[in-house]
Structure formats: structure tokens, C-alpha cells
Amino acid sequence: MSLKKTLQKQNYDLIEGPKRNQDLLQLWIKRDLDRIALYDPSIRNVFGQDFSAAPFESTALSINSSDKEEFDFSAGMDFVKNALLQFKIANANIDAHIKGGKSVTVSYNNSYTKEIGQFELEKYLFSIDSHSLIPSLIRELNRNNLFVIAGVVFAKNLNFVIESDRTIDTTTEASLNKIAEGKVNFEKTADHQITLTSDTEKAFPIAVKAYRIRFVKGKFNKLILATDKRDFFK
């Protein structure tokens, strides 16, 4: 099944861009055509009030290698390089070794989800004294520019299949593994195909559930699901 569709059915958005620092209760900002950007690491900092509800962890939304997403070569290789940055590989530039190709197929294993319930978030936001908020924050809230992350899917294992338009030889395989510094593994799996896999205890975010915070005349009104088929985190 399509990885994106599996996630979208649960109102999650696959992270395709280079930012991989998403976590629960972060506030992000998006103005019109601007790319979404981190506004503050915690809703607690912005509203000056503790959030006491605990997140729940689940494997109900379990992503595995049967859930795949195929990208064209250019977009797929950007995805690969963005993911490699999570492993702090000194030289993540693999373009010199794989210069062109057909596609990149992305899948993950060993995943779990952390989530905060919508009711708990709305109860918290209704309790905020808006008179204590700074004017610039109220302006952004009244314009519905702020989003809160309510759920994150984390994974420990990635699996990227790269379809090259050139023959993959053992020299290419060895060169890529040298770049990888043992943090990920490249394996030739067909004449024109090389597979990148990781097996680590470190989990990294692969998808998010976010809500737009809707304020009306300086007061919280409701949360609006923002990550259903909209790709906010490209």
C-alpha cells in the first residue's frame, strides 16, 4: 500500500523535507505561501502555562516495509540526502556516485506513534488568558498562522531502493559504504539498483499530525486538522 495513503488515513503527513526535528507540542508557523517553520519548541513557552496531559504511545499506526512511496529520481534523492543528515554523516553527498536514475522507493520499519488527544489540546487552549499574550503572538493567532503538533510517527529503520540508469558495480557499492561510515548500509540488489538501509536504536520522525490553531477576536475558537493530504512538512 502507498505509504502516504496509509498515513493520511490516520490524518498524518509524511515528512519529505530536510527538517527532522518535529516533536509533540511544538508550535509551527506558516504565512500564506511561506514554507512552514518552527515558531517555538513548546506550547508551554508561548502561552506561559503548563500542559499536564501526558502523551500516549502506540504501535496501532505501525508502518512497515509493505507501505511504500515511490518518488521520481530527483525528488527521491533529495529525500535520501535529507534522511542521511539524521545520521550525522560528514559527507552525505552521494550524487558523485549515483548521477542519474529512474526512481527512489521509500519505506520504514520498527515504528511507533506518540500523540496528544485533540480534546486535551482544546481544553488547554480554552483555558489560556489571551490578555497575557504579547501583541505579535495575538496577531499571528488571529490570522490562523500557527500550528501545533499533536502527533508524531517515529521509525528506527529506513529502507530506500534507488533505481539507477547506470549499472551499479561493486566499486560504487564500496564507495557509498565508505561515505556512510557504518551508520547506514548500501547494498547492490540488482544491476541497476542499490538499497540503502539503517538499523539503529535512534528513532527519528517520519510523519506528523498537526492542527491549525483558530483564534477569533483574540480568543481561542477551535483546532482545524491541517495535515490531511496537504503536505505541510515538505
Side-chain angles (χ1 to χ4, degrees), residues 12-94:
Y12 276 82
D13 176 22
L14 180 67
I15 301 169
E16 298 182 42
K19 294 172 183 172
R20 295 275 172 165
N21 59 333
Q22 292 83 357
D23 208 348
L24 292 181
L25 299 179
Q26 288 176 343
L27 286 182
W28 290 66
I29 187 167
K30 181 171 172 55
R31 302 184 185 94
D32 299 324
L33 299 178
D34 291 349
R35 298 180 76 88
I36 195 163
L38 183 64
Y39 183 82
D40 196 279
S42 175
I43 198 172
R44 300 177 180 92
N45 300 333
V46 172
F47 294 109
Q49 188 169 310
D50 190 33
F51 186 92
S52 58
F56 58 89
E57 187 171 318
S58 171
T59 56
L61 178 53
S62 181
I63 303 301
N64 57 53
S65 56
S66 66
D67 301 300
K68 301 177 181 180
E69 198 66 34
E70 184 175 303
F71 297 87
D72 66 51
F73 185 77
S74 178
M77 289 302 287
D78 285 343
F79 201 118
V80 169
K81 285 180 276 189
N82 290 338
L84 287 176
L85 292 174
Q86 301 309 301
F87 296 93
K88 295 181 170 58
I89 295 171
N91 180 13
N93 181 13
I94 62 176

Side-chain angles (χ1 to χ4, degrees), residues 113-174:
T113 304
K114 284 187 176 180
E115 191 167 324
I116 297 286
Q118 182 177 352
F119 171 77
E120 297 294 344
L121 276 169
E122 290 186 331
K123 184 170 69 171
Y124 174 84
L125 289 165
F126 273 122
S127 72
I128 298 299
D129 177 10
S130 58
H131 293 97
S132 66
L133 304 180
I134 60 175
S136 61
L137 173 59
I138 287 290
R139 282 196 298 272
E140 298 295 356
L141 289 166
N142 282 335
R143 294 167 181 167
N144 303 322
N145 286 335
L146 291 183
F147 299 78
V148 59
I149 293 184
V152 184
V153 181
F154 296 92
K156 295 183 179 180
N157 309 132
L158 60 80
N159 187 76
F160 295 167
V161 180
I162 303 168
E163 295 285 347
S164 176
D165 56 11
R166 302 183 183 185
T167 300
I168 303 291
D169 54 29
T170 54
T171 302
T172 300
E173 181 184 46

Side-chain angles (χ1 to χ4, degrees), residues 87 157-160 183-187 195-199:
F87 296 93
N157 309 132
L158 60 80
N159 187 76
F160 295 167
K183 297 173 183 177
V184 297
N185 182 62
F186 286 92
E187 181 183 2
T195 299
L196 163 62
T197 57
S198 75
D199 184 7

